[in-house]
Amino acid sequence: MKKTQGNWESSSSSHFITIEGIEGVGKSTAITFIRDWLTEHGLSVVVTREPGGTEVAEEIRRVLLNTHKEPIYPETELLLLFAGRMQHIQEVIKPALQAGKTVLCDRFIDASYAYQGGGRGISDHFIQMLEQEILQGLQPNLTLLLDAPYHVSQLRLQQRSHTDRIESEHEAFFQRVRAKYLKRAEQSPERYRVINAALPLPKVQRQMKEVLHDFF
Ligand SMILES: Nc1ncnc2c1ncn2[C@@H]1O[C@H](COP(=O)(O)OP(=O)(O)O)[C@@H](O)[C@H]1O
Ligand SMILES: [Mg+2]
């Protein structure tokens, strides 16, 4: 059976799940756990990420995350992200959903509102315009927001040898990003589940299991 979402048609057995949150909060760790849970429950899972997810989008990711001598303006950042997102939707997300698969994505549209909106100060109006044109009504069915205070995520990031252009932003930037994520979660409670990611891993995983149980 087919279901429609905006201008998109996908299989009724497909699900689009996104994981959001600031750097170091535990998204990659959560993705592995959720992928295993979904697979154990008989779902065919496609794991992907933004920025990136296709050959061209991964090249765009490099431009976004590398440090350059020239500044990258907020609007440039936003447009590059949406350029990569277009490739990602067409090449990976849409075909997988049409084939009845569950797409598990490390960051998606909410990250643009949180980072380029909350973090960089671009208006929601500008982002909404791009969202309308590029997503054409495509929305995640479920978004897990991993939330933890800045200092917790920073502590976890200390084990990382290299920090990219965005990871090296200052505390105030990440505070704005986190606040915007929480605001969006409050505005869309039907789609968002906020996970307290500051807790030890087993407790984080227990919360994720509960969310998955409720959702499926
Ligand atoms: N709940 C947790 N408690 C303690 N450490 C964690 C927890 N979740 C993840 N970590 C660790 O924190 C670091 C960052 O996690 P990661 O999943 O890479 O974050 P992200 O993908 O959000 O940047 C990793 O070393 C990971 O093992
Ligand atoms: Mg990660």
Side-chain angles (χ1 to χ4, degrees):
M1 237 181 56
K2 298 275 180 208
K3 66 178 176 191
T4 52
Q5 200 186 51
N7 292 346
W8 301 92
E9 208 175 64
S10 60
S11 162
S12 58
S13 63
S14 65
H15 307 280
F16 183 22
I17 302 173
T18 58
I19 311 298
E20 299 279 358
I22 59 173
E23 352 283 305
V25 84
K27 293 181 300 301
S28 299
T29 312
I31 295 253
T32 306
F33 178 80
I34 295 170
R35 182 202 58 204
D36 292 348
W37 190 96
L38 295 168
T39 308
E40 276 165 26
H41 286 75
L43 293 161
S44 170
V45 188
V46 172
V47 174
T48 186
R49 69 167 180 185
E50 285 206 354
T54 80
E55 186 193 343
V56 170
E58 289 290 331
E59 282 206 36
I60 296 173
R61 178 188 179 95
R62 277 193 284 281
V63 176
L64 279 162
L65 298 186
N66 284 348
T67 310
H68 311 272
K69 285 195 203 89
E70 164 186 339
I72 295 192
Y73 298 95
E75 289 77 3
T76 308
E77 196 173 277
L78 182 72
L79 292 168
L80 282 171
L81 280 157
F82 270 96
R85 186 163 295 141
M86 180 70 183
Q87 293 298 118
H88 191 209
I89 290 171
Q90 298 292 348
E91 289 291 307
V92 176
I93 300 176
K94 189 177 154 190
L97 293 177
Q98 283 172 341
K101 295 187 175 159
T102 296
V103 176
L104 182 57
C105 191
D106 192 334
R107 292 217 174 98
F108 189 61
I109 183 69
D110 297 287
S112 292
Y113 285 96
Y115 282 78
Q116 284 68 48
R120 308 266 189 232
I122 293 182
S123 73
D124 277 0
H125 173 74
F126 187 13
I127 305 173
Q128 274 158 4
M129 196 177 73
L130 291 167
E131 179 180 7
Q132 245 177 1
E133 294 298 327
I134 303 301
L135 270 64
Q136 299 278 317
L138 175 72
Q139 285 291 306
N141 306 112
L142 175 67
T143 298
L144 276 80
L145 172 60
L146 301 194
D147 180 64
Y150 171 77
H151 69 269
V152 171
S153 63
Q154 278 303 297
L155 217 67
R156 290 182 188 167
L157 275 180
Q158 278 173 6
Q159 296 166 33
R160 220 165 265 183
S161 55
H162 169 80
T163 47
D164 65 41
R165 194 177 62 84
I166 294 178
E167 280 167 357
S168 27
E169 277 294 339
H170 49 280
E171 174 174 353
F173 175 83
F174 289 111
Q175 298 287 15
R176 292 197 298 274
V177 173
R178 182 184 178 208
K180 184 74 177 198
Y181 266 135
L182 287 169
K183 191 171 161 204
R184 281 184 67 77
E186 215 179 278
Q187 288 166 342
S188 306
E190 69 293 343
R191 167 167 77 86
Y192 259 104
R193 296 294 176 271
V194 182
I195 305 286
N196 180 354
L199 298 173
L201 196 54
K203 290 199 171 165
V204 172
Q205 292 177 339
R206 194 178 313 153
Q207 294 173 71
M208 294 195 293
K209 244 189 217 174
E210 273 173 26
V211 166
L212 293 167
H213 263 293
D214 286 351
F215 180 76
F216 283 100

